[in-house]
Amino acid sequence: MALYSEIVMDHFKNPRNQGKIEDADGVGKVGNVQCGDLMWFYIKVRDGVIEDIKWETYGCAAAIAVSSIVSEMVKGKEVEEAVELTNQEILEGLGNLPTPKIHCSLLGVDALHEAIYDYLSKNKMEIPEKLEKNHERQKKILDKIGDKD
Amino acid sequence: MVNDKIYMDYAATTPVDPRVMEAMQPYFTERFGNSATLYSVGQEADKVLEDCRRKVAKLLGAKPSEILFTSGGTESDNLALKGVAFARGKGHIVTSKIEHHAVLHPAEWLEKRGFSVTYLPVDRYGTVSPESVEKAVREDTILVSVMHGNNEIGTLEPIEEIGKICRKKGVPFHTDAVQTVGKVPVNLKHVDLLSSSGHKLYGPKGVGIIFIREGTKIDPLLHGGGHEHGMRSGTENIAGIVGYTKALELAMKEMKTDTRKLLGYRKKLVDGLSRIPDCWLNGHPDKRLPGNVHFCFKFIEGESLILLLDQKGIEASTGSACSSKSLEPSHVLTAIGLKPEEAHGSLRLTMGRFTKEGDVDRVLEVLPGVVDRLRQISPLKK
């Protein structure tokens, strides 16, 4: 069985910023239950800075740890800066993930991007191309699995 | 158990019983002989080997010549399927969708080599209906293989009825009894081939048996020095064989007391866990392995559940996709009609000889909180 790094286990056991923001400025929902992972991110933005971020995740320890570390990595950062977060940085932050679990780190980036996309589009702000592309891709995944959320 | 962990995975493997360990010990050192040699230490090994064969045969209700020692359940299952297939050259095999991979993968491999295979469906409890076996058997069917007890959901299959049908149709019947030998009574009357493994019954790993009814057409997988009546070459694992035999003796002798205890624990666990909202028991409610409890919990994922339980000192397993290398949910859970998202939230607790009532109480104390904690962070929660 694949073993997790101590950092992964720490985030899994003591998740940071876990929860929900009722009046979030942006919400990002990715993943699907059939595959066994869902990540929902909530962000609160003030003066272009991610003032607060919370998340709800259904999935394995890797998915939970990714959600936790992403929230830590972007909290207090400018939105423009947060958009640049890569899954490589997440993997480095977590001390790596077993190969079958790498997709969880991609899911973390997607969820964050979706939350930022939501915030930007609600505020009629310019949306970077990669966020647009990600949004299109996520929509396709939802259409394909017939998710009702 | 030597550590303070609560081991709830006896279906995966069992610790060696100290009495088995003691019986095996001399065969690593002073009684190390090769049974194929003529001097004393070798002859002694040969005598022990045949004594073991006689004991195992008697305990299972077979002839000594019908018992072969193997390296375990996987080899025995492979030998049953491929051995019969090779001896016949072509034909059709009937098996079920919930078999262990040690049966399913040889069947799939044989399919690629020109054999045809029918994988019978099961009902929601995981039971293979004898009628479906009867319908599936064709003129060219060379083997039926249906397991005795399912390793995941614990359901016991009606192997007597299935065996009778096979006998009537003149088709050899194999059963993978790895989870049942020494745990529940096994009747060989209508069985032609049976697999059993040592490490599931408090014996060592790396040893098992196959029962092959006299007159069954079968080819060996391993060719060499002609050991085991030419059916399984390779110097016999005498220490392992002594261990298997001792383990089987003890299991048969203590089956009633072990079963009575386990049935009590099983009821307590099932009743207690059923109080957790949004969960259900998988497998047959009564026709199941005495030590097996298998639940699904909605809104959470099994790997997280297992890792949090481990943090609390409880060792168990899951059929969740995320816990497997393939990222596919368990084929057994899919076969009983669970949706992938339901199968992801599965938990198998299997108890055995060294399980204590306090262990069961501890699981009941810890599990609701762990499930609740994961539900709290899940977006699926109500």
Side-chain angles (χ1 to χ4, degrees), chain A residues 70-86:
Chain A
V70 167
S71 71
E72 230 180 31
M73 287 169 115
V74 300
K75 193 172 174 174
K77 278 203 178 147
E78 288 184 8
V79 171
E80 277 171 32
E81 213 183 332
V83 168
E84 300 305 320
L85 181 78
T86 64

Side-chain angles (χ1 to χ4, degrees), chain B residues 19-39:
Chain B
R19 296 167 289 181
V20 171
M21 187 79 173
E22 196 190 342
M24 289 171 69
Q25 211 88 50
Y27 295 92
F28 289 104
T29 48
E30 65 261 37
R31 299 187 192 168
F32 63 91
N34 182 330
S35 74
T37 56
L38 295 175
Y39 41 81

Side-chain angles (χ1 to χ4, degrees), chain B residues 193-252:
Chain B
L193 301 120
L194 173 140
S195 310
S196 161
S197 169
H199 75 103
K200 307 282 191 190
L201 52 129
Y202 314 95
K205 292 169 181 63
V207 65
I209 62 132
I210 182 167
F211 157 78
I212 305 175
R213 184 173 294 286
E214 212 166 54
T216 306
K217 278 189 183 170
I218 185 163
D219 276 358
L221 299 185
L222 303 183
H223 299 86
H227 308 74
E228 299 294 286
H229 329 301
M231 273 305 298
R232 203 269 181 189
S233 289
T235 300
E236 302 88 354
N237 170 12
I238 298 290
I241 289 167
V242 168
Y244 177 90
T245 307
K246 183 73 182 173
L248 184 64
E249 272 179 340
L250 292 171
M252 290 299 200

Side-chain angles (χ1 to χ4, degrees), chain B residues 35-186:
Chain B
S35 74
T37 56
L38 295 175
Y39 41 81
S40 316
V41 75
Q43 285 306 295
E44 189 182 30
D46 189 55
K47 186 182 169 300
V48 168
L49 174 66
E50 295 314 319
D51 278 351
C52 287
R53 200 188 308 282
R54 267 193 298 277
K55 281 182 191 165
V56 170
K58 197 169 175 220
L59 288 164
L60 296 178
K63 294 179 189 165
S65 59
E66 294 174 322
I67 301 294
L68 299 189
F69 291 103
T70 66
S71 64
T74 296
E75 186 190 329
S76 296
D77 285 344
N78 270 267
L79 177 55
L81 271 84
K82 294 180 195 165
V84 168
F86 292 164
R88 304 293 289 268
K90 58 180 184 191
H92 171 239
I93 295 166
V94 176
T95 186
S96 85
K97 286 187 175 168
I98 59 155
E99 297 300 310
H100 191 276
H101 285 137
V103 166
L104 286 180
H105 289 167
E108 287 160 12
W109 185 84
L110 287 166
E111 251 184 313
K112 284 190 209 144
R113 277 151 189 82
F115 292 85
S116 53
V117 181
T118 301
Y119 301 91
L120 296 172
V122 293
D123 66 12
R124 69 189 177 108
Y125 295 127
T127 311
V128 177
S129 90
E131 296 77 50
S132 73
V133 175
E134 182 144 28
K135 275 186 204 148
V137 171
R138 318 189 305 216
E139 277 292 302
D140 64 338
T141 303
I142 55 169
L143 183 72
V144 172
S145 179
V146 175
M147 73 198 322
H148 190 196
N150 184 268
N151 48 303
E152 282 187 55
I153 56 174
T155 298
L156 294 171
E157 301 298 338
I159 61 162
E160 284 201 38
E161 287 95 314
I162 294 172
K164 275 183 202 165
I165 290 165
C166 294
R167 189 64 49 83
K168 192 176 77 188
K169 301 253 183 185
V171 178
F173 174 51
H174 166 249
T175 188
D176 174 341
V178 163
Q179 293 291 342
T180 54
V181 168
K183 314 278 175 66
V184 296
V186 177

Side-chain angles (χ1 to χ4, degrees), chain A residues 44-61:
Chain A
K44 196 86 190 144
V45 183
R46 184 182 284 183
D47 302 330
V49 171
I50 298 181
E51 196 185 55
D52 198 9
I53 175 164
K54 292 210 182 293
W55 52 270
E56 293 180 299
T57 292
Y58 157 82
C60 60

Side-chain angles (χ1 to χ4, degrees), chain A residues 13 34 56-57 59 101, chain B residues 303-304 322 344 373 377 381:
Chain A
K13 283 187 280 171
Q34 291 167 25
E56 293 180 299
T57 292
K101 304 287 187 178
Chain B
E303 189 213 73
S304 299
C322 298
H344 293 318
R373 191 174 150 198
I377 69 172
K381 67 171 179 282

